């Protein structure tokens, strides 16, 4: 590149970076994902390195960005809030390079024993400094530019996990630093609410958390549940600090401030590499976003000796993972028809590596949301894939569009079966009216019916369902049980062994429970829990099918919408026929005279329990099933009426609430004792 071209490109990059930095840091409304920002930043860095004459004092590469908003009060940090060097090499080499650098700086001989590091998660939120005087939270500040932050005490006080007073004997002054963030489930709930209201959805948990905390009006925090993890200290007076970082974290946890449990003291580079890989493997299963892990030299004495380069400690590094948001081209918008006939616009994308996998389809939810986001075919769009949430198009990059791209419209006829598409008055979803005439609905109904939480038919996946429906082998659910070896073996790629497997899976599925069967039928508004409640209340299918609206309304948690939907389902003769055919096919369960006639010891009868965090051996489903089998009820939130809270690792705000209300808290062993009747 000529000097002139390089100069022009550098100027262009600077202008872009300045614009995006302002959107990100000051307005909390970024237009592009971090990974894209980093790419532009690195391009500028490379240009400036190759052409040093181009370097200007005001280049974004030359300063730490961050500005204090007018509305929030600036606060000078007692000790600067530093950032950490980022290792962008996501392979093990990144960890090895850090270890080698530290050993070199410490002038350790080759044969010196491995160094101890504290390895922890890099939370993707907003850095906050919590200042406690005599154990009382007196101020909370953002990082700002590292020297001066903003006073966000009022908003931070609304974060339930942050204690307003430290536990135990607190020092006269201690500043605890950490990350305020939003859990993925809290984020999804918030967006579901926004969708219901027809309001704009939020891009990602990080920006939402940052935006909420920096709002001038603390009421803006009300619907946004935030969480917090501490990772270090600021100013401290009158306290004998533990000699290791891991010890500091233990002490912070003992003060009652949340510290993430996924931290470990490891030895040398192999320990760092193992941690990086172990966390990568469970990244999707974590309840919150992380963008990497952080390694810190564990000994505080060694940290002192290592010191800082510019504003970054030599004793810490952030080791990244592939980004969870990326930019790609929206090639097309297709319509997918779901089990209930709902039409979902799906983005067909130029394949892009995001959140650890290649994504080429992403949901656009519904036509109204699509319009609010303003995306059109041909746009550069932002794709987010985090955890097990389905990939989603969250927005577009503003840019030039070809002269004419029409606005997306929902089809009037179902793209699969041609039936009329309708939208309920005032509703947001378009639906195909074809019912089980529609192959798409039939396929989804089959998949739902066979699902793990429903009839649990092993060996029946997407591909096979496509073949069964497209090949005309199955038109109704009961026909599933009339499949024979001969019919199945005729199918493509359906080797005899897998045909036999499916038949065995079907046979096994016949032994079920009434709750599972009801859920499998796919009655609108009847989820797993409602199905169980209905089964428990009526005890038999015939009693349920004969129930009046009033009788249905007597069921735990059943309101008018659910009751009407159940009644409407069994009022349709063809649904009753399906049910009868399934029973005739041999599907069976134990019937009883309703809840009152349940047999066996019920040590938890009348007790309400709340589960929180991860238990060491029981999955949440298993724990719930055991509690219910013992006559207990599992509730989603802690109140004065809760009898016990069962807490595992990473228990969140429910645990705090339990402590606040004085509800007994037990671990898994405690639960087992209760189940055995020790209560
Ligand atoms: S330590 C001197 N530990 O990442 C070291 N930071 O650039 C100070 N972050 O703004 C930071 N998780 O908000 C540290 N486990 C962790 C972290 C963490 C997330 C954030 C932090 C800071 C940025 C570092």
């Amino acid at each position: 590149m000529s000097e002139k071209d390089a100069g022009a490109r550098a100027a262009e990059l600077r202008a872009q970076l300045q614009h995006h930095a302002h959107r990100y840091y000051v307005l909390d409304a970024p237009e592009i994902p971090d990974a894209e920002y980093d790419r532009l930043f690195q391009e500028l860095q490379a240009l400036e390195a190759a052409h040093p004459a181009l370097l200007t004092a005001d280049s974004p590469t030359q300063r730490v960005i961050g500005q204090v908003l007018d509305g929030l009060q600036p606060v000078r940090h007692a000790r600067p809030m530093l950032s950490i060097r980022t290792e962008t090499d996501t392979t093990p080499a990144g960890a090895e390079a850090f270890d080698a650098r530290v050993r070199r700086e410490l002038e350790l001989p080759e044969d010196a024993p491995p160094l101890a590091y504290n390895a922890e998660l890099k939370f993707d939120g907003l850095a906050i400094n919590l200042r406690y005087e005599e154990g009382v939270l007196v101020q909370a500040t953002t990082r700002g530019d590292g020297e001066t932050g903003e006073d966000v005490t009022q908003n931070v006080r609304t974060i339930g996990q942050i204690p307003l007073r430290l536990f135990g004997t607190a020092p006269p002054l201690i500043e605890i630093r950490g990350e305020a963030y939003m859990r993925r489930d809290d984020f999804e709930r918030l967006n579901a609410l926004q969708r219901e209201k027809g309001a704009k959805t939020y891009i990602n948990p990080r920006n939402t958390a940052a935006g909420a905390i920096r709002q001038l009006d603390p009421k803006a925090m009300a619907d946004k549940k935030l969480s917090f993890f501490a990772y270090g200290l600021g100013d401290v007076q009158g306290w004998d600090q533990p000699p290791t970082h891991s010890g500091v974290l233990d002490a912070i946890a003992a003060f009652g401030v949340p510290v993430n449990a996924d931290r470990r003291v490891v030895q040398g580079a192999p320990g760092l590499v193992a941690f990086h890989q172990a966390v990568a493997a469970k990244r999707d299963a974590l309840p919150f976003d992380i963008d990497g892990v952080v390694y810190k030299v564990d000994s505080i004495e060694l940290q002192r000796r290592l010191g800082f380069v510019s504003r970054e400690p030599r004793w810490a590094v952030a080791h990244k993972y592939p980004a969870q948001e990326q930019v790609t081209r929206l090639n097309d918008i297709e319509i997918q028809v779901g089990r209930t006939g709902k039409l979902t616009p799906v983005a067909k994308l130029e394949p892009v590596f995001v959140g650890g996998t290649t994504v080429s389809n992403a949901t656009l939810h519904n036509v109204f949301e699509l319009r609010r986001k303003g995306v059109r075919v041909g746009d550069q769009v932002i794709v987010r894939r985090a955890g097990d949430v389905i990939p989603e198009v969250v927005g577009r990059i503003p840019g030039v569009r070809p002269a004419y791209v029409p606005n997306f419209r929902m089809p009037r006829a179902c793209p699969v079966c041609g039936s009329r598409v309708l939208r309920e008055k005032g509703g947001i979803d378009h639906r195909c009216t074809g019912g089980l005439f529609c192959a798409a609905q039939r396929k989804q109904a089959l998949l739902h019916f066979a699902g793990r939480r429903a009839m649990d038919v092993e060996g029946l996946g997407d591909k096979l369902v496509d073949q069964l429906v497209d090949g005309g082998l199955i038109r109704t659910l009961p026909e599933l049980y009339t499949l024979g070896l001969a019919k199945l073996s005729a199918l493509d790629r359906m080797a005899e062994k897998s045909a036999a497997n499916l038949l065995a899976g079907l046979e096994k599925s016949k032994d079920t429970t009434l709750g599972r069967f009801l859920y499998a039928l796919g009655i609108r508004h009847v989820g797993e829990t409602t199905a169980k409640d209905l089964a428990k209340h009526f005890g038999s299918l015939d009693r349920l099918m004969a129930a009046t609206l009033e009788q249905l309304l007597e069921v735990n948690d059943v309101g008018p919408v659910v009751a009407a939907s159940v009644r409407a389902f069994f009022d349709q003769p063809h649904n009753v026929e399906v049910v009868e055919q399934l029973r005739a096919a041999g599907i069976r369960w134990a019937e009883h005279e309703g809840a009152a006639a349940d047999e066996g010891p019920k040590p938890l009868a009348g007790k309400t329990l709340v589960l929180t965090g991860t238990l060491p051996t029981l999955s949440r489903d298993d724990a719930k099933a055991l509690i219910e089998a013992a006559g207990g009820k599992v509730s989603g939130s802690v109140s004065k009426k809760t009898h016990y809270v069962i807490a595992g690792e990473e228990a969140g705000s429910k645990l705090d609430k339990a402590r606040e209300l004085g509800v007994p808290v037990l671990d898994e062993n405690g639960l087992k004792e209760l189940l055995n009747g020790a209560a």
Side-chain angles (χ1 to χ4, degrees):
M1 202 186 269
S2 76
E3 198 69 22
K4 196 168 149 230
D5 287 350
R9 179 67 185 147
E12 189 181 0
L13 286 168
R14 261 174 224 141
Q16 281 180 1
L17 287 165
Q18 255 148 22
H19 169 76
H20 291 305
H22 181 76
R23 301 280 319 180
Y24 181 98
Y25 285 100
V26 183
L27 304 178
D28 282 327
E31 291 167 342
I32 57 171
D34 293 7
E36 183 65 11
Y37 183 90
D38 292 346
R39 202 190 55 71
L40 296 171
F41 195 89
Q42 279 157 14
E43 187 185 339
L44 180 59
Q45 268 182 327
L47 266 180
E48 288 172 343
H51 307 270
L54 292 178
L55 193 61
T56 61
D58 71 348
S59 173
T61 58
Q62 298 306 298
R63 70 181 173 120
V64 186
I65 310 152
Q67 224 170 296
V68 173
L69 271 186
D70 286 338
L72 297 169
Q73 286 308 308
V75 177
R76 212 177 154 74
H77 296 304
R79 294 209 193 164
M81 284 181 84
L82 305 166
S83 57
I84 13 184
R85 199 189 128 96
T86 305
E87 181 57 69
T88 44
D89 181 342
T90 56
T91 69
E96 282 151 9
F98 170 63
D99 179 56
R101 212 158 47 233
V102 169
R103 294 178 72 90
R104 199 165 51 240
E105 297 288 351
L106 289 173
E107 294 173 354
L108 295 182
E110 283 282 321
D111 56 356
L115 283 170
Y117 295 101
N118 188 69
E120 51 200 78
L121 305 183
K122 186 168 192 297
F123 315 106
D124 206 5
L126 171 78
I128 297 287
N129 183 67
L130 302 172
R131 189 177 170 92
Y132 287 92
E133 288 176 9
E134 305 298 344
V136 177
L137 177 67
V138 293
Q139 192 172 56
T141 44
T142 62
R143 176 165 177 271
D145 65 4
E147 293 293 334
T148 306
E150 303 146 325
D151 187 327
V152 288
T153 316
Q154 287 314 313
N155 288 345
V156 166
R157 277 174 184 282
T158 68
I159 303 178
Q161 288 192 333
I162 295 181
L164 299 181
R165 174 185 279 278
L166 297 179
F167 301 176
T169 327
L173 170 71
I174 183 167
E175 287 184 349
I176 295 175
R177 290 177 175 175
E179 200 89 346
Y181 67 95
M182 189 178 243
R183 288 170 55 103
R184 285 180 195 143
D185 54 358
D186 290 325
F187 176 72
E188 295 302 326
R189 247 193 301 279
L190 174 67
N191 265 353
L193 270 178
Q194 292 293 104
R195 271 184 204 113
E196 243 167 61
K197 287 195 283 192
K200 215 169 160 219
T201 49
Y202 295 91
I203 302 262
N204 60 34
R206 203 261 323 276
N207 298 138
T208 314
I213 285 203
R214 299 174 66 246
Q215 281 288 326
L216 291 176
D217 181 2
K219 274 198 227 95
M221 289 279 287
D223 53 345
K224 303 187 190 68
K225 188 168 162 265
L226 302 192
S227 305
F228 184 84
F229 280 131
Y231 53 63
L233 295 174
D235 199 9
V236 179
Q237 277 163 31
W239 189 49
D240 251 343
Q241 223 185 289
T244 57
H245 178 66
S246 50
V248 167
L249 293 183
D250 291 340
I252 294 175
F255 284 138
V257 181
V259 175
N260 181 257
D262 273 316
R263 59 187 164 105
R264 210 181 305 154
V265 178
V266 301
Q267 306 299 321
L272 299 178
V273 171
F275 184 81
H276 189 256
Q277 287 170 348
V279 172
K282 68 171 178 183
R283 182 187 189 194
D284 276 359
L286 292 174
F288 46 83
D289 283 1
I290 58 168
D291 56 350
V293 289
V294 178
Y295 312 135
K296 297 171 184 170
V297 171
D298 200 34
S299 153
I300 305 287
E301 170 52 29
L302 290 183
Q303 288 188 1
R304 275 197 198 105
R305 270 171 52 195
L306 283 158
F308 302 85
V309 236
S310 58
R311 302 167 131 269
E312 294 169 348
R314 283 200 193 84
W315 44 264
V317 79
H319 195 185
K320 293 275 209 163
Y321 290 124
Q324 291 176 316
E325 281 170 30
Q326 286 293 358
V327 174
T328 191
R329 184 176 185 277
L330 176 60
N331 286 336
D332 200 3
I333 299 175
E334 275 183 15
I335 298 295
Q336 217 168 57
V337 184
R339 173 171 65 84
T340 58
K342 184 183 162 201
L343 269 57
T344 304
V346 175
K348 297 290 174 182
L349 304 165
E350 198 52 42
V352 63
F353 190 69
V354 49
T357 50
T358 301
V359 169
S360 42
N361 297 314
T363 182
L364 286 157
H365 297 285
N366 60 58
V367 72
F368 298 100
E369 197 168 324
L370 194 162
R371 285 197 197 135
R372 268 193 304 276
K373 285 177 182 156
V375 292
R376 294 197 195 169
V377 170
D379 280 349
Q380 290 294 114
V381 294
I382 303 167
V383 184
R384 172 176 156 85
R385 194 201 81 95
D388 45 17
V389 179
I390 36 178
E392 191 182 14
V393 169
V394 293
R396 65 179 280 258
I397 309 278
V400 225
R401 272 178 172 151
Y404 180 68
V405 182
N407 234 329
F408 175 79
R409 285 182 173 278
M410 269 298 182
R412 283 153 181 262
C414 171
V416 176
C417 72
S419 300
R420 231 153 82 87
V421 167
L422 287 180
R423 178 167 63 91
E424 270 171 36
K425 211 168 172 247
I428 46 176
D429 293 329
H430 289 75
R431 279 176 205 282
C432 159
T433 52
L436 288 184
F437 170 73
C438 176
Q441 293 185 53
R442 234 180 298 149
K443 286 179 187 175
Q444 294 300 323
L446 274 171
L447 283 170
H448 173 81
F449 181 83
R452 198 170 54 81
R453 289 154 176 274
M455 298 299 289
D456 195 16
V457 181
E458 270 170 47
L460 189 64
D462 298 16
K463 297 239 161 59
L464 187 51
V465 164
D466 281 350
Q467 290 184 328
L468 291 173
V469 172
D470 295 339
L473 266 73
I474 287 193
R475 271 158 299 128
T476 68
L477 288 176
E479 281 177 7
L480 196 54
Y481 289 95
T482 65
L483 290 170
L485 235 124
K487 256 193 197 176
L488 279 174
S489 311
L491 293 175
D492 277 3
R493 284 192 292 127
M494 186 68 185
E496 238 156 74
K497 188 152 176 268
S498 40
N501 277 346
L502 173 62
L503 292 179
L506 282 167
E507 201 48 46
K508 206 169 118 204
S509 74
K510 288 181 183 172
D511 245 322
T512 187
T513 64
L514 177 54
R516 276 175 174 270
F517 179 74
L518 287 174
Y519 175 59
L521 289 176
I523 305 169
R524 248 185 110 187
H525 303 300
V526 177
E528 215 186 338
T529 313
T530 306
K532 254 191 224 163
D533 287 344
L534 288 169
K536 195 168 163 193
H537 186 93
F538 291 101
S540 96
L541 182 58
D542 293 320
R543 268 196 294 276
L544 167 63
M545 296 210 302
T548 63
L549 271 183
E550 290 69 35
Q551 287 167 332
L552 285 164
L553 284 168
E554 284 167 16
V555 182
N556 191 16
D557 287 338
V558 167
V561 176
V562 178
S565 170
V566 173
R567 202 47 270 152
F569 183 89
F570 291 115
D571 280 341
Q572 298 270 336
H574 70 259
N575 287 336
V576 176
E577 200 179 315
V578 163
V579 166
E580 292 313 334
Q581 286 170 348
L582 286 169
R583 277 210 276 202
I587 291 176
R588 58 194 169 252
W589 54 82
E591 299 217 333
H592 59 83
E593 291 296 314
D598 278 1
E599 281 162 30
K602 298 279 180 217
L604 289 179
K607 301 272 191 266
T608 302
L609 287 79
V610 171
L611 296 166
T612 177
T614 313
L615 299 177
T617 70
L618 288 173
S619 73
R620 187 155 296 207
D621 285 347
D622 292 346
K624 194 168 173 225
L626 287 171
I627 291 168
E628 286 173 353
K633 193 174 163 236
V634 176
S635 160
S637 58
V638 181
S639 74
K640 276 185 285 191
K641 290 188 193 147
T642 310
H643 293 93
Y644 300 101
V645 167
I646 312 299
E649 274 209 19
E650 272 180 40
S653 57
K654 289 179 195 165
L655 182 55
D656 303 333
K657 187 80 187 280
R659 291 201 174 118
E660 203 181 300
L661 296 175
V663 174
V665 177
L666 303 175
D667 60 5
E668 183 176 304
N669 286 332
L671 170 63
K672 288 181 177 160
E673 282 175 19
L674 283 185
L675 293 168
N676 289 332

